[in-house]
Amino acid sequence: MRVRPTAPTVCHMPSAVPPIVELARVPRRVPGVDVAIAAGLLLWAELEAVLVEGPGSTAARVLLAAGFTVPLALRRRWPVAVLLVVALLALLRGAMGGIDEEGAMPFPTLLLGSFSAALYARPRWLAYAALPVPVVVMPLAGFGGMEALPLLF
């Protein structure tokens, strides 16, 4: 009985590139996982905008919720710009004043934007320049019990 030669099996070796380096690469297109993360945060933010008391009208809070979350889909391609958009919207939300915010937004979006700026910003000095953005924005926007923005105007 004659046995046919079979094709050689391919051994899947682990990549020589460490996983952390793979994580830091900027993909050519927007990855589906980034869209899913932005969509999940959008759902969270919209629920907070509608169900939780906060400053401004419900329509304004719904628009701000979209503004906080939708740019996160582009966080790997333009990390510093996304962080700045979220930070400026947080300042706008803080300038609306009035009722204290009971929800968590925009803290999760600032956190993800800061992480993305630190990991994906090129040239590297942009990551260092973006470092103080969330630290400065949160108190200025009136989060954490500090009402610094009204003191500036």
Side-chain angles (χ1 to χ4, degrees):
M1 176 172 205
R2 187 170 171 191
V3 177
R4 294 183 119 184
T6 59
T9 58
V10 177
C11 180
H12 293 285
M13 299 293 292
S15 173
V17 179
I20 193 72
V21 174
E22 287 291 330
L23 178 67
R25 291 193 175 148
V26 177
R28 293 177 193 259
R29 296 182 305 138
V30 175
V33 70
D34 286 356
V35 173
I37 289 169
L41 286 170
L42 176 64
L43 177 64
W44 177 7
E46 294 294 346
L47 286 173
E48 275 191 5
V50 172
L51 301 176
V52 177
E53 288 295 320
S57 67
T58 302
R61 290 196 318 268
V62 165
L63 287 174
L64 274 174
F68 286 144
T69 56
V70 171
L72 290 173
L74 305 172
R75 68 186 181 88
R76 294 191 205 201
R77 178 71 52 200
W78 297 289
V80 176
V82 167
L83 177 62
L84 291 176
V85 165
V86 171
L88 289 173
L89 288 172
L91 288 173
L92 176 66
R93 191 239 95 351
M96 290 166 60
I99 304 168
D100 288 339
E101 182 70 46
E102 295 178 12
M105 285 297 161
F107 184 70
T109 57
L110 275 171
L111 185 64
L112 183 58
S114 301
F115 168 79
S116 300
L119 187 59
Y120 300 112
R122 298 291 181 265
R124 179 59 37 202
W125 65 267
L126 278 175
Y128 293 117
L131 179 67
V133 169
V135 175
V136 171
V137 165
M138 289 304 278
L140 286 178
F143 291 95
M146 297 179 68
E147 301 272 339
L149 193 60
L151 296 176
L152 296 176
F153 298 106

